[in-house]
């Protein structure tokens, strides 16, 4: 089972819709609330990052009885130093975004914390691809 | 699982099948079947949105009638804090309480007083080191049910303290038994004067406790005119009030949370805002908060659909000014922990109603089928099929509750197809007929 989402980079209001939908689907599958929570938070953070830092992108979620895989891809500016970006508290978010409650530099660390596997590929000027997986078994 | 009993009723003759309620329902519990609205009871959370939105006034809440109290030897009225805001220029709460006695009750127990105790115990609870924050208020039963259906990961956040009305009912029952040893438990009738239908369902299927101490639930709206009359008959009201401003404030959104003297709180009201906030908490976006007060009705309990006054008019400012802050007599140092009898007996648990199948492989298959079907439907969410959206219809079809041809667009296509085949066939027949 795969789910596909286009994430609109222009609209803060709709940011979070994809992760909300994934949550609904996982509930329909009877997945445990703890796993749903981890997937939803990881997906939400990834989705918000694409909106704030990359002007939107696409998300694909593949669900099998063994695991849930999320791939988020954008053609934004890319991340020059991934290790630095992964550090808690590191953020390049602009001031206006802070007012909305984002920009604490906790998104990527949380994505790592809540998933069993996470990979980032990024090329400056080309875009970023984040892969995350949560095991069900 | 036992069938849920709900308090929303449909007047079949009035319902025109317009789908207003179908589209508004936050748990997608309503469908139009054979031209009339029908509620899937396991999904219904008693929010009352369908009652509010129905242009035909076909939906209403069921509640107990005042005559019901006559079946009990000892009758106690539990006025909701929201009751006081319903009267113009009310000079004292005592007038309302005395008026209730003249309606036939033997005693009154203010829910606002119990609310002040719940406030005290909530402060104690928030000091516990091992709790999941933000703590979410459990006073609105709609919110608790919504969490168990749609936001189950937040079950541990729910405040496991009796709601003010349950607290009041238990106290009132104990008081009656103590003061009147000749009474049997089943001779005591504890009646809540409620602003909302959710409390009607709550009394029958309580949350957090095995059995509610509430006997019946009357509606503010129904009792209103009777009460206005008896309140006028009261010459000098007997002093009965035992609650203060904090208890009264519970009627409006923010009243419960602001009483905690903890600035890290948020209060939201109206079912759509409640859903947004729960979504945010699940995404760990509000983790700096300690307490979240949520009320399904606009403006808080004063906006319940069994009230009389518009929630933004139902104010009790002039009353509050003359009142003490609270009357529990508990000082923060005195009360170190919460007496067991005021805590929930069982935790809130996940409801499985949204699950497609108990077996995950089967559920995955169904999900794929829903996706496929969803793509073949027009995506207009027109509601003509009786479901709130094309996606919801796809789910219903896969769950065997609806047919593809319930969609008028699919139906039209099917008819065209039949027409084409038929005309082809008849065309051939004609050919055959004209053969020399
Ligand atoms: N998709 C992306 N494209 C470009 N840069 C990104 C992307 N995702 C993250 N970054 C960079 O990595 C930094 C750290 O990301 P992280 O999600 O940890 O924090 P944040 O988004 O700045 O704040 P928070 O997630 O706490 O609201 C960002 O500030 C940004 O510079
Ligand atoms: S809103 Fe619902 S109950 Fe009221 S008329 Fe329309 S379909 Fe019937
Ligand atoms: Mg981020």
């Amino acid at each position: 089972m795969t789910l596909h989402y286009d994430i609109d980079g222009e609209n803060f209001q709709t940011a979070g819709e994809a992760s909300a939908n994934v949550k609904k689907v996982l509930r329909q599958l009877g997945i445990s609330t703890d796993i749903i929570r981890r997937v939803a938070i990881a997906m939400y953070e990834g989705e918000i990052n694409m909106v704030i830092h990359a002007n939107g992108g696409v998300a694909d979620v593949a669900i099998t009885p063994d695991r849930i895989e999320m791939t988020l891809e954008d053609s934004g500016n890319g991340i020059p130093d991934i290790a630095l970006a992964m550090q808690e508290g590191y953020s390049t978010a602009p001031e206006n975004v802070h007012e909305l409650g984002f920009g604490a530099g906790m998104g990527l660390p949380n994505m790592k914390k809540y998933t069993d596997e996470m990979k980032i590929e990024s090329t400056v000027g080309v875009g970023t691809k984040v892969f995350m997986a949560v095991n069900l078994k | 699982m036992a069938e849920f009993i709900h308090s929303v009723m449909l007047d079949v003759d009035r319902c025109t099948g317009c789908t207003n309620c179908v589209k508004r329902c936050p748990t997608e519990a309503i469908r139009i079947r054979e031209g009339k609205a029908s509620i899937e009871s396991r999904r219904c959370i008693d929010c009352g949105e369908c009652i509010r939105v129905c242009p035909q006034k076909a939906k209403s809440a069921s509640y107990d009638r005042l005559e019901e109290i006559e079946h009990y030897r000892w009758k106690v009225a539990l006025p909701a804090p929201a009751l006081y805001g319903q009267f113009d220029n009310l000079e004292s709460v005592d007038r309302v309480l005395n008026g209730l006695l003249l309606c036939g009750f033997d005693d009154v127990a203010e829910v606002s007083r119990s609310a002040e105790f719940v406030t005290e115990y909530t402060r104690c609870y928030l000091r516990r080191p091992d709790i999941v924050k933000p703590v979410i208020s459990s006073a609105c039963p709609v919110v608790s049910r919504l969490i168990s259906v749609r936001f189950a990961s937040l079950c541990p956040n729910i405040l496991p303290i009796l709601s003010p009305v349950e607290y009041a009912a238990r106290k009132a029952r104990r008081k009656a038994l103590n003061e009147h040893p000749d009474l049997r438990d089943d001779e005591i009738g504890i009646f809540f004067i409620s602003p909302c239908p959710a409390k009607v369902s709550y009394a029958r299927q309580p949350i957090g406790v095995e059995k509610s101490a509430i006997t019946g639930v009357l509606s503010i709206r129904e009792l209103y005119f009777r009460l206005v009359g008896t309140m006028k008959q009261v010459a000098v009201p007997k002093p009965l009030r035992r609650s203060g401003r904090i208890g009264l404030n519970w009627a409006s959104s923010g009243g419960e949370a602001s009483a905690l003297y903890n600035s890290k709180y948020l209060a939201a009201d109206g079912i759509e805002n409640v859903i947004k906030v729960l979504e945010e908490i699940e995404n760990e976006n509000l983790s700096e908060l300690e307490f979240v007060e949520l009320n399904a009705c606009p403006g808080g309990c004063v906006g319940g659909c069994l009230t009389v006054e518009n929630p933004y008019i139902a104010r009790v400012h002039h009353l509050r000014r003359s009142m003490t802050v609270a009357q529990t007599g508990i000082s923060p140092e005195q009360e170190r922990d919460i007496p067991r009898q005021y805590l929930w007996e069982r935790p809130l648990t996940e409801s499985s109603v949204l699950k497609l199948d108990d077996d995950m492989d089967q559920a995955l298959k169904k999900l794929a089928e829903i996706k496929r079907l969803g793509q073949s439907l027009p995506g207009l969410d027109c509601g003509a099929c009786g479901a709130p959206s094309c996606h919801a219809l796809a789910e219903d079809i896969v769950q065997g509750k609806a047919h593809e041809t319930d969609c008028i667009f699919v139906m039209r296509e099917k008819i065209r197809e039949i027409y084409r085949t038929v005309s082809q066939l008849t065309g051939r027949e004609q050919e055959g007929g004209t053969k020399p």
Side-chain angles (χ1 to χ4, degrees), chain A residues 1-4 16 19-20 23-25 27-34 36-37 40-41 44-45 63-65 101-102 110 113-114 136, chain B residues 28 43 149-154 278-280 282-285 350-351 354-361 363-364 367-368 370-371 391 395:
Chain A
M1 177 77 209
T2 57
L3 306 162
H4 176 84
S19 55
K23 210 153 61 174
K24 182 185 169 201
V25 167
R27 204 164 296 123
Q28 288 182 311
L29 293 175
I31 308 247
S32 77
T33 54
D34 178 56
I36 295 181
R37 213 184 107 247
I41 295 173
Y44 174 79
E45 291 292 350
I63 308 164
T64 66
F102 303 115
N110 274 340
K113 181 171 127 198
Y114 288 120
L136 298 176
Chain B
E28 298 193 334
R43 281 195 180 201
V149 173
R150 271 186 65 175
F151 299 94
S153 79
L154 301 179
L278 291 173
E279 205 75 71
E280 294 276 308
E282 265 200 338
N283 289 335
E284 294 198 344
N285 246 358
E350 177 173 14
S351 142
L354 297 181
K355 235 203 269 188
L356 291 172
D357 205 291
D358 285 331
D359 176 60
M360 185 172 165
D361 287 332
L364 267 171
L367 202 61
I370 291 169
K371 196 179 159 194
H391 187 85
E395 285 180 10

Side-chain angles (χ1 to χ4, degrees), chain A residues 34-50:
Chain A
D34 178 56
I35 301 246
I36 295 181
R37 213 184 107 247
R38 288 168 51 203
V39 171
I41 295 173
M43 175 86 185
Y44 174 79
E45 291 292 350
E47 191 183 346
I48 295 288
N49 275 358
M50 290 205 293

Side-chain angles (χ1 to χ4, degrees), chain B residues 10 14-22 32 37 50 53-56 58-59:
Chain B
L10 180 75
R14 283 193 173 190
C15 175
T16 57
C18 69
T19 75
N20 272 302
C21 57
V22 174
I32 305 297
C50 56
V53 78
C54 178
Q56 307 300 328
K59 286 232 165 87

Side-chain angles (χ1 to χ4, degrees), chain A residues 45 49 53-54 74 78-79 85 90-93 102-109 128:
Chain A
E45 291 292 350
N49 275 358
H53 307 295
D74 64 61
I79 307 173
Y90 176 81
S91 174
T92 61
F102 303 115
M106 288 305 291
L108 291 174
T128 303

Side-chain angles (χ1 to χ4, degrees), chain A residues 113-126:
Chain A
K113 181 171 127 198
Y114 288 120
T115 54
D116 294 308
E117 193 184 331
M118 177 173 165
K119 275 189 294 215
I120 306 180
E121 290 163 26
S122 188
T123 312
V124 175
V126 178

